[in-house]
Amino acid sequence: NQDEQQKLSEVEKQIEIIKSNALLSQVANKLNLNVQYSESETFKAEDQSLNYPASIELLSPAGIKKTTEGRLKIIASKNQVEFNGTVYQADTTVNTPLGLARWSINDKTMADNKTLYLKVLPLPVLTEQLAKRFTISPLSKESSILDLNIIDEIPERAELILKTLIDVYGESDQVDKKKLLENTLSFIDDRLGIVSNDLKGVEASLQNYKSRGGITDLASEGQIYLGQVKENDQRLSEIDVQLNVLQEIERYLSKRN
């Protein structure tokens, strides 16, 4: 029926939003997923984890246009790292082949010359890879609850990706709702202004009529006056109802916000 089709259409719409490159790119950027670390040059699953003795924060990850790989040597005693033969001071913004970046040594007690391997991917490439590893579907044909799954070499990272994806989706949904609320409130404010002006116009018209002199035919003018008063009273009642409805809607939406 129509309700089921509408629910299905809404579910499909939400799936497309969640799977969109824009949302996945936000997740990748937030988690720094385009920077990968490994104990070996082959980047085998068993050589990867979330906890590394050193890391890099790219200040402009969108500026990475090609995949870059290299060896990272950690010199903890001097709070320095060496990447592809160039030494950088940690905990400060430095210029690198990857753009402006900030190196961090997470374990400053470790022995010098610990080696890691680094791979940095362009965000579009990483987003495309992420989309291929990601599946989303309704729990059943009748359900509006979505089942999210991702394949990742590191289970903890998979869990983190899904959690961040849900958070980012929630934030984007709230932004859309806030925009809708702001537009609605703006419309209500405009409408209240129009109705208020209408009300002032009716009141002025009634006042002008009541104060108008020179009545010659009392019976005829009396009937006209009563008809005018009745019409104005009806108009005033209609405007009062509109004002009350619009004010209630505005109060409700303000509370929701």
Side-chain angles (χ1 to χ4, degrees), residues 23 35 52 54 88 90 102 107 113 129-130 136 141 146 158 166 169 179 188 208 212 221 243 250:
L23 219 61
V35 181
Y52 283 106
Y88 301 96
R102 187 181 180 88
D107 182 4
N113 299 324
Q129 291 180 1
L130 201 58
I136 176 170
K141 289 183 179 180
L146 300 176
I166 293 169
Y169 170 73
K179 287 181 181 176
I188 289 174
N208 289 337
R212 197 166 59 210
E221 293 292 342
L243 280 169
E250 185 170 30

Side-chain angles (χ1 to χ4, degrees), residues 24-34 123 126-127 130:
L24 293 178
S25 182
Q26 285 185 59
V27 172
N29 197 21
K30 224 171 188 181
L31 296 178
N32 214 21
L33 293 177
N34 62 322
L123 272 176
L126 188 280
T127 301
L130 201 58

Side-chain angles (χ1 to χ4, degrees), residues 214-226:
I215 298 176
T216 54
D217 186 346
L218 293 178
S220 174
E221 293 292 342
Q223 288 179 355
I224 295 173
Y225 173 78
L226 290 175

Side-chain angles (χ1 to χ4, degrees), residues 169-209:
Y169 170 73
E171 289 168 5
S172 67
D173 192 44
Q174 287 302 315
V175 168
D176 290 341
K177 287 180 179 178
K178 185 177 180 182
K179 287 181 181 176
L180 177 62
L181 175 63
E182 289 173 350
N183 291 338
T184 304
L185 288 175
S186 177
F187 167 78
I188 289 174
D189 286 339
D190 291 343
R191 186 59 191 156
L192 282 172
I194 293 170
V195 173
S196 295
N197 289 334
D198 287 348
L199 181 59
K200 289 176 184 176
V202 172
E203 289 175 337
S205 175
L206 180 59
Q207 184 64 35
N208 289 337
Y209 184 84

Side-chain angles (χ1 to χ4, degrees), residues 24-37 50 54-62 64 98 100-104 118-121 123 126 130 157 160-161 164:
L24 293 178
S25 182
Q26 285 185 59
V27 172
N29 197 21
K30 224 171 188 181
L31 296 178
N32 214 21
L33 293 177
N34 62 322
V35 181
Q36 300 173 4
Y37 307 89
L50 288 181
S55 59
I56 183 173
E57 177 190 357
L58 302 175
L59 273 62
S60 301
I64 304 298
L98 303 168
L100 289 176
R102 187 181 180 88
W103 297 94
S104 297
L118 194 68
K119 180 189 293 184
V120 182
L121 302 168
L123 272 176
L126 188 280
L130 201 58
R157 185 168 62 191
L160 189 60
I161 290 172
T164 305

Side-chain angles (χ1 to χ4, degrees), residues 2-236:
Q2 188 174 357
D3 289 342
E4 289 178 349
Q5 289 179 346
Q6 186 174 357
K7 181 190 286 187
L8 180 61
S9 175
E10 183 62 27
V11 169
E12 290 173 343
K13 178 183 175 183
Q14 298 311 313
I15 288 175
E16 288 304 312
I17 292 173
I18 294 173
K19 289 174 64 178
S20 67
N21 285 339
L23 219 61
L24 293 178
S25 182
Q26 285 185 59
V27 172
N29 197 21
K30 224 171 188 181
L31 296 178
N32 214 21
L33 293 177
N34 62 322
V35 181
Q36 300 173 4
Y37 307 89
S38 176
E39 299 280 351
S40 69
E41 292 182 85
T42 56
F43 284 82
K44 292 180 181 177
E46 59 267 24
D47 295 326
Q48 299 184 52
S49 73
L50 288 181
N51 302 310
Y52 283 106
S55 59
I56 183 173
E57 177 190 357
L58 302 175
L59 273 62
S60 301
I64 304 298
K65 302 302 180 184
K66 63 178 182 179
T67 300
T68 301
E69 297 185 27
R71 190 178 71 164
L72 177 66
K73 188 165 69 173
I74 304 165
I75 312 167
S77 63
K78 296 182 179 180
N79 198 32
Q80 294 176 335
V81 299
E82 180 185 310
F83 180 63
N84 283 351
T86 302
V87 176
Y88 301 96
Q89 193 67 35
D91 301 323
T92 187
T93 301
V94 292
N95 198 8
T96 76
L98 303 168
L100 289 176
R102 187 181 180 88
W103 297 94
S104 297
I105 298 176
N106 306 320
D107 182 4
K108 298 186 185 297
T109 63
M110 65 184 299
D112 285 348
N113 299 324
K114 168 71 176 175
T115 299
L116 289 176
Y117 292 91
L118 194 68
K119 180 189 293 184
V120 182
L121 302 168
L123 272 176
V125 174
L126 188 280
T127 301
E128 185 179 345
Q129 291 180 1
L130 201 58
K132 290 177 180 178
R133 292 157 40 204
F134 180 73
T135 59
I136 176 170
S137 60
L139 286 178
S140 66
K141 289 183 179 180
E142 297 77 20
S143 177
S144 59
I145 299 174
L146 300 176
D147 181 31
L148 309 179
N149 293 281
I150 189 168
I151 299 171
D152 196 272
E153 297 89 348
I154 308 171
E156 295 84 1
R157 185 168 62 191
E159 184 178 349
L160 189 60
I161 290 172
L162 289 179
K163 182 180 182 303
T164 305
L165 178 63
I166 293 169
D167 290 343
V168 170
Y169 170 73
E171 289 168 5
S172 67
D173 192 44
Q174 287 302 315
V175 168
D176 290 341
K177 287 180 179 178
K178 185 177 180 182
K179 287 181 181 176
L180 177 62
L181 175 63
E182 289 173 350
N183 291 338
T184 304
L185 288 175
S186 177
F187 167 78
I188 289 174
D189 286 339
D190 291 343
R191 186 59 191 156
L192 282 172
I194 293 170
V195 173
S196 295
N197 289 334
D198 287 348
L199 181 59
K200 289 176 184 176
V202 172
E203 289 175 337
S205 175
L206 180 59
Q207 184 64 35
N208 289 337
Y209 184 84
K210 287 180 178 179
S211 61
R212 197 166 59 210
I215 298 176
T216 54
D217 186 346
L218 293 178
S220 174
E221 293 292 342
Q223 288 179 355
I224 295 173
Y225 173 78
L226 290 175
Q228 184 76 36
V229 168
K230 183 178 180 181
E231 181 181 342
N232 286 337
D233 283 343
Q234 183 177 355
R235 179 63 179 147
L236 285 170

